[in-house]
Amino acid sequence: IAFSNAIMQPSYYLNNPFNIPVLTIKNIPTDIYEELKYVAEQHHRSINSEVIMCLKQKLFPHKVST
């Protein structure tokens, strides 16, 4: 993580007024990406929103309402 000399916060927070963490996923297999894209379209969500929903469903199965 790169730090700014002026603010001393991780660089991904500098343009993020809500201080929400940013996650980058690399080397996603094409078949997984295409399925994620398809499912997101079916749910009228962005890919980002679909990934968040998938993570919530897996990590908090009793708390998520779809």
Side-chain angles (χ1 to χ4, degrees):
I1 299 173
F3 288 90
S4 164
N5 290 333
I7 299 176
M8 294 304 293
Q9 290 180 326
S11 61
Y12 56 83
Y13 287 129
L14 296 179
N15 295 317
N16 187 342
F18 302 107
N19 289 337
I20 298 171
V22 175
L23 175 66
T24 301
I25 302 173
K26 297 180 180 181
N27 303 319
I28 300 171
T30 303
D31 59 333
I32 292 175
Y33 177 78
E34 292 299 327
E35 185 65 19
L36 184 60
K37 184 177 173 182
Y38 173 77
V39 172
E41 289 173 1
Q42 297 302 304
H43 293 144
H44 306 286
R45 295 184 183 126
S46 67
I47 293 174
N48 187 77
S49 293
E50 192 64 37
V51 168
I52 291 170
M53 185 56 68
C54 289
L55 289 170
K56 284 182 177 181
Q57 289 173 339
K58 183 65 175 177
L59 297 172
F60 309 106
H62 302 296
K63 296 182 181 182
V64 177
S65 60
T66 54

